[in-house]
C-alpha cells in the first residue's frame, strides 16, 4: 500500500470518530436530562406521600375534639381530687374518734394505776358516748361557790336531750381527799347531778392544770363539736353562744374568744404576775394573742390535741395564757368575737335593745360580775336573750 492510500484511510477514520463522538455526547446529554427529571420527581413524590400521611394522622387525632377531651380530662382530675379529699376527711374523723377512745382508756387506766376508783363519768353508756352534741360547757367553779352555782343552775337534762348541750360545774378535789369540802360537793352532786369531777387538786395557782384536765376529760366523755370553758360568775346567753359556735362548725381547728395581748408582768406581788416573764423577752413586752379567760371555746380537734399531749404541754401561771401557748405553732384559726366579753348593764342592755345580744357579760374590774350572787338575776333580766330564745333555737 502506498503512503497516499494510507493518508486517505487515516483521514476517513478521523471523520468517523468525530461523528461518533458527537452522537455519543448528544446521547449522554439526553440520558442525563431524563435521569435529572426522574430525580426531581422523587422528592416531590416523597413530600406528597408524607403530606398525605400527616393529613391522615391529623384526621385520626382530630376525630376526637380537643376541647371535649380537655373537658373530660379536667372532670376526671376534679373527680379524683374530690374523692381523695373525701377519703382524707373520713380518715381524719376516724383518727379523731380513735384518739378520743384512746384518751378515755388512758384516763381510766391512770385512775386504776393510781389506786383510785374509776370516775363514774367514765362509765357512760355506749349510746351516750355515740351521741353527737353541739357543745360541752364546763363551768369552772370552786368549793366556796355554792351560791354562785345556785344562781346559774338551769334545766340541764332538757338541754342535753333537746338541744345537744352538755353543761357541768367543773371541780376537782381538795388537798385532803375525802374531807369536808369533797363531801359537801358530793352531796350537792347527788341532789343536782350537774358536776364534772376531775382528778385534780383545787388551787388558784393550779388553774392551768385544771383547764388541761377539763378538756382531756370532757373530750373523752362526750363527742361534741365544741368544748367551752366559762367562769361561774359570768352571765351567758346559751342560745346565742350555740348559734355563734354553729357558724364555725365547718372549721376543724378553731379557737374562739375575746382575743387580747396584755403586758407580761414581771413585778412580784402584783395580780397576774408571770414568774416566767423572762421567756417573753425584755421587760414591758406583751403576751401573744390569746382569749381572755372568762369564756372561750375550742373545736373538737383542739380539745383532742390537748388530751393527747397533756403530759408535755407547759403550764404558765395564768390559765388563759397557757391555753393560748398550746396552740402556737399549730394551724389554728383564732376567732376574735367581742360579743363574748360584753360589760354588764348598761353595756349589754343597750346592745340587746339594738338587736345585738351578747354571748357573755361581766365586769372587767372583777374579771367576772362583781357581787355575782346578788346581781346575776338582774343582769339576766336586763341582758338575757329571752325565755323562748333557747327552746326555739335551731343549731
Amino acid at each position: 500500500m502506498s503512503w497516499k492510500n494510507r493518508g486517505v484511510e487515516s483521514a476517513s477514520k478521523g471523520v468517523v470518530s468525530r461523528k461518533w463522538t458527537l452522537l455519543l455526547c448528544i446521547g449522554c446529554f439526553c440520558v442525563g436530562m431524563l435521569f435529572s427529571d426522574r430525580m426531581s420527581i422523587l422528592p416531590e413524590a416523597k413530600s406528597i406521600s408524607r403530606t398525605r400521611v400527616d393529613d391522615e394522622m391529623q384526621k385520626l387525632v382530630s376525630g376526637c375534639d380537643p376541647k371535649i377531651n380537655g373537658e373530660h380530662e379536667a372532670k376526671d382530675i376534679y373527680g379524683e381530687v374530690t374523692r381523695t379529699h373525701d377519703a382524707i376527711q373520713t380518715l381524719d374523723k376516724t383518727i379523731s374518734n380513735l384518739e378520743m377512745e384512746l384518751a378515755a382508756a388512758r384516763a381510766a387506766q391512770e385512775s386504776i394505776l393510781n389506786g383510785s376508783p374509776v370516775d363514774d363519768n367514765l362509765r357512760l353508756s355506749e349510746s351516750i358516748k355515740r351521741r353527737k352534741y353541739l357543745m360541752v360547757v364546763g363551768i369552772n367553779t370552786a368549793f366556796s361557790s355554792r351560791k354562785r352555782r345556785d344562781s346559774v343552775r338551769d334545766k340541764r337534762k332538757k338541754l342535753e336531750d333537746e338541744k345537744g348541750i352538755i353543761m357541768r360545774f367543773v371541780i376537782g378535789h381538795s388537798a385532803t381527799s375525802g374531807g369536808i369540802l369533797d363531801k359537801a360537793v358530793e352531796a350537792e352532786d347527788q341532789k343536782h347531778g350537774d358536776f364534772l369531777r376531775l382528778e385534780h387538786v383545787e388551787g388558784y395557782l393550779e388553774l392551768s392544770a385544771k383547764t388541761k384536765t377539763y378538756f382531756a376529760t370532757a373530750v373523752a366523755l362526750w363527742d361534741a363539736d365544741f368544748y367551752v370553758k366559762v367562769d361561774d360568775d359570768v352571765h351567758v346567753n346559751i342560745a346565742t353562744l350555740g348559734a355563734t359556735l354553729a357558724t364555725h362548725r365547718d372549721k376543724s381547728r378553731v379557737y374562739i374568744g375575746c382575743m387580747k395581748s396584755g403586758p407580761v408582768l414581771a413585778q412580784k406581788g402584783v395580780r397576774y404576775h408571770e414568774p416566767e416573764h423572762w421567756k417573753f423577752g425584755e421587760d414591758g413586752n406583751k403576751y401573744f394573742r390569746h382569749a381572755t379567760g372568762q369564756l372561750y371555746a375550742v373545736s373538737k380537734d383542739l380539745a383532742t390535741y390537748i388530751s393527747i399531749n397533756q403530759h408535755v404541754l407547759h403550764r404558765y401561771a395564768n390559765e388563759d395564757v397557757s391555753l393560748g401557748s398550746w396552740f402556737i405553732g399549730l394551724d389554728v384559726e383564732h376567732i376574735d368575737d367581742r360579743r363574748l366579753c360584753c360589760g354588764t348593764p348598761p353595756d349589754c342592755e343597750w346592745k340587746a335593745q339594738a338587736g345585738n345580744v351578747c354571748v357573755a357579760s361581766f365586769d372587767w374590774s372583777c374579771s367576772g360580775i362583781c357581787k355575782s350572787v346578788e346581781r346575776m338575776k338582774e343582769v339576766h333580766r336586763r341582758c338575757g336573750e329571752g325565755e323562748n330564745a333557747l327552746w326555739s333555737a335551731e343549731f
Side-chain angles (χ1 to χ4, degrees):
M1 181 180 293
S2 65
W3 287 103
K4 184 175 181 179
N5 291 335
R6 289 182 180 174
V8 172
E9 184 179 354
S10 175
S12 63
K13 287 181 179 179
V15 172
V16 172
S17 298
R18 283 195 294 272
K19 288 180 179 179
W20 278 107
T21 300
L22 180 61
L23 290 173
L24 182 62
C25 288
I26 293 172
C28 289
F29 177 76
C30 293
V31 172
M33 288 294 292
L34 179 63
F35 182 77
S36 298
D37 290 341
R38 291 184 61 85
M39 291 298 293
S40 63
I41 291 171
L42 285 174
E44 290 180 6
K46 289 182 181 179
S47 176
I48 293 171
S49 177
R50 286 176 184 170
T51 303
R52 287 177 180 173
V53 171
D54 290 343
D55 290 341
E56 292 298 325
M57 290 295 294
Q58 185 64 31
K59 287 179 181 179
L60 290 174
V61 174
S62 61
C64 298
D65 191 338
K67 293 182 179 179
I68 296 176
N69 286 343
E71 291 176 359
H72 284 308
E73 186 176 351
K75 288 180 180 178
D76 291 341
I77 294 173
Y78 179 77
E80 288 295 329
V81 171
T82 302
R83 286 191 289 272
T84 303
H85 179 70
D86 293 340
I88 291 173
Q89 283 189 326
T90 303
L91 182 60
D92 284 342
K93 290 179 180 178
T94 303
I95 292 173
S96 296
N97 291 334
L98 291 174
E99 287 172 343
M100 283 200 313
E101 293 176 7
L102 177 61
R106 282 176 176 171
Q109 184 183 32
E110 288 178 3
S111 181
I112 294 172
L113 292 176
N114 292 334
S116 57
V118 178
D119 196 315
D120 288 338
N121 288 314
L122 295 176
R123 296 172 176 165
L124 297 178
S125 67
E126 289 301 320
S127 61
I128 293 177
K129 284 184 179 181
R130 282 196 297 267
R131 180 178 174 182
K132 185 74 172 181
Y133 294 91
L134 169 64
M135 59 181 174
V136 175
V137 181
I139 305 171
N140 190 39
T141 192
F143 290 110
S144 59
S145 301
R146 171 64 186 267
K147 291 183 178 180
R148 285 185 181 178
R149 292 192 288 273
D150 288 339
S151 68
V152 299
R153 278 193 164 105
D154 208 335
K155 299 177 181 179
R156 176 184 64 84
K157 184 63 176 174
K158 188 175 180 181
L159 279 174
E160 293 181 17
D161 294 340
E162 297 186 12
K163 298 301 177 183
I165 298 173
I166 300 290
M167 295 190 70
R168 294 289 190 277
F169 291 104
V170 180
I171 195 167
H173 299 275
S174 65
T176 55
S177 181
I180 188 171
L181 296 176
D182 289 318
K183 290 180 178 179
V185 168
E186 288 170 6
E188 189 179 344
D189 191 21
Q190 288 179 357
K191 180 179 180 180
H192 298 283
D194 53 6
F195 276 91
L196 174 60
R197 300 299 301 275
L198 304 177
E199 290 299 326
H200 165 79
V201 177
E202 287 291 322
Y204 179 76
L205 297 179
E206 298 298 325
L207 286 177
S208 293
K210 183 176 182 179
T211 300
K212 189 189 326 185
T213 305
Y214 158 63
F215 282 118
T217 305
V219 78
L221 294 176
W222 298 288
D223 181 11
D225 292 321
F226 298 96
Y227 298 83
V228 182
K229 177 264 175 181
V230 60
D231 292 338
D232 61 3
D233 56 354
V234 173
H235 176 263
V236 181
N237 284 315
I238 297 298
T240 307
L241 173 61
T244 300
L245 297 182
T247 61
H248 302 291
R249 262 179 166 158
D250 60 334
K251 302 169 184 175
S252 59
R253 293 176 297 277
V254 62
Y255 172 34
I256 306 170
C258 285
M259 300 296 164
K260 65 176 184 177
S261 182
V264 179
L265 302 178
Q267 184 180 351
K268 292 183 178 181
V270 300
R271 192 180 186 186
Y272 305 128
H273 165 63
E274 179 56 72
E276 298 179 273
H277 58 87
W278 60 274
K279 289 186 177 180
F280 298 91
E282 302 298 328
D283 290 346
N285 281 357
K286 291 185 176 182
Y287 287 112
F288 40 80
R289 283 285 175 183
H290 61 278
T292 186
Q294 285 80 4
L295 186 151
Y296 47 72
V298 301
S299 58
K300 176 183 174 181
D301 281 4
L302 295 184
T304 303
Y305 170 82
I306 294 172
S307 175
I308 294 171
N309 299 283
Q310 57 182 307
H311 300 295
V312 296
L313 294 176
H314 184 71
R315 302 192 305 269
Y316 289 99
N318 302 301
E319 53 102 1
D320 53 353
V321 173
S322 294
L323 183 69
S325 72
W326 299 337
F327 301 147
I328 290 179
L330 302 183
D331 186 13
V332 175
E333 182 175 356
H334 290 57
I335 304 294
D336 182 20
D337 193 331
R338 310 315 291 183
R339 293 177 301 161
L340 274 66
C341 55
C342 295
T344 55
D347 180 49
C348 58
E349 185 177 21
W350 291 342
K351 291 175 180 176
Q353 291 172 355
N356 188 23
V357 178
C358 292
V359 173
S361 304
F362 57 88
D363 299 307
W364 283 102
S365 59
C366 297
S367 295
I369 296 176
C370 300
K371 299 180 179 180
S372 62
V373 174
E374 294 83 6
R375 296 182 58 217
M376 184 64 75
K377 290 184 178 179
E378 175 201 354
V379 174
H380 181 71
R381 179 178 60 81
R382 299 173 65 180
C383 301
E385 57 199 353
E387 294 300 324
N388 297 324
L390 178 58
W391 307 115
S392 61
E394 295 291 338
F395 302 120

